[in-house]
Amino acid sequence: MDTWLPLESNPEVLSSYMAKLGVSPLWSIVDIFGMDDELLDMVPKPVKSLIFLFPCKDAAEEDKPKEEQTGAAEGAYPKELFFTRQYIHNACGTIALIHAVLNNPDIEIEEGSVLKNYYNTAKELSPEERGRLLDKNEQFIKAHEENAREGQTATPAVNDPVYHHFVAFVHVGGKLYELDGRKGAPIEHGSSSPETMLKDAVQVCQKHIAKDPTEVRFTLLGLAPTQ
């Protein structure tokens, strides 16, 4: 399995990365500072995706494909939902952005850009084939590495252990889906809507956080209009 440098959960760095991939500058990644209604109401609307960064107790768990955790049955989720597997160490940040953007077709992506080219090639492939395609995509590899080096903290070595993992939540076809490239399929979390997606996704994150009340290393980010 190939290894990339891990991305920092820095909204400015991730927004810059999206722009380099070809995403319209009308959209950015923003911090979400808390999970109560007052703080969620402060996030620019409409929020198109919630990106959740959480710790993995086992460093090796971060990119290990979990075949036993299949999520929705194959073919049970909508055909228009774009899902890719993760076969690259430390690629979870990139895959979360892919899932966040490509499941919102009203977000404009520049023709001929890194992300548009990937989508045009991958859209008719299986999730497994999409993951393998990303592994060999030199444009994506270069863009990812450039932005991994832009963070404010010291850039870790490629083989340093990584203890956090990114997943994305999106609304598609009246349902809330959790998209984690380590797993065999998207995970459906029940009914949702574009207006309630953020708060619905936060409720799922709260259940995850409640499993270990002593753990505080969680980050919430939103894909939202640029202010």
Side-chain angles (χ1 to χ4, degrees), residues 3 27 39 47 51 58 70 94 113 130 136 143 150 207 211 217:
T3 300
W27 300 93
L39 290 172
V47 182
I51 296 174
D58 177 359
T70 56
T94 286
S113 65
R130 291 168 179 171
K136 306 302 179 186
E150 282 186 11
K207 292 177 183 178
K211 294 177 182 178
R217 297 172 297 167

Side-chain angles (χ1 to χ4, degrees), residues 12-205:
E12 291 184 5
V13 172
L14 294 176
S15 295
S16 171
Y17 185 24
M18 285 202 312
K20 288 181 180 178
L21 294 178
V23 178
S24 166
L26 296 176
W27 300 93
S28 300
I29 300 297
V30 299
D31 274 316
I32 297 175
F33 294 107
M35 293 182 284
D36 59 57
D37 286 347
E38 182 178 353
L39 290 172
L40 294 178
D41 289 340
M42 293 171 60
V43 181
K45 303 296 189 296
V47 182
K48 293 294 188 177
S49 175
L50 174 68
I51 296 174
F52 183 41
L53 181 67
F54 59 90
C56 297
K57 295 301 183 184
D58 177 359
E61 179 187 351
E62 186 268 320
D63 344 77
K64 180 183 177 184
K66 290 181 168 51
E67 300 293 350
E68 71 277 10
Q69 297 184 8
T70 56
E74 183 176 356
Y77 54 92
K79 182 179 180 181
E80 66 268 25
L81 194 157
F82 188 95
F83 177 69
T84 182
R85 298 299 307 277
Q86 178 179 343
Y87 296 116
I88 310 162
H89 286 302
N90 300 337
C92 58
T94 286
I95 288 175
L97 289 178
I98 288 172
H99 284 149
V101 174
L102 294 186
N103 284 295
N104 286 288
D106 54 335
I107 295 179
E108 184 179 353
I109 306 171
E110 182 182 356
E111 290 293 338
S113 65
V114 176
L115 186 55
K116 192 70 168 183
N117 288 344
Y118 171 75
Y119 174 71
N120 287 340
T121 305
K123 60 185 177 181
E124 301 300 330
L125 301 179
S126 70
E128 293 74 22
E129 291 169 329
R130 291 168 179 171
R132 300 297 182 192
L133 179 66
L134 184 65
D135 190 13
K136 306 302 179 186
N137 190 312
E138 294 298 329
Q139 286 184 308
F140 246 122
I141 293 170
K142 180 180 179 182
H144 177 106
E145 182 169 346
E146 286 176 354
N147 277 270
R149 296 185 184 279
E150 282 186 11
Q152 297 176 351
T153 58
T155 302
V158 167
N159 293 318
D160 283 354
V162 174
Y163 295 95
H164 287 76
H165 184 64
F166 290 85
V167 299
F169 291 85
V170 297
H171 163 265
V172 175
K175 302 289 185 180
L176 176 69
Y177 290 94
E178 176 184 345
L179 305 177
D180 181 345
R182 302 173 305 165
K183 299 181 179 178
I187 300 173
E188 183 195 315
H189 288 290
S191 297
S192 188
S193 69
E195 294 76 24
T196 65
M197 186 282 303
L198 175 59
K199 292 183 179 180
D200 294 338
V202 163
Q203 289 182 357
V204 177
C205 296

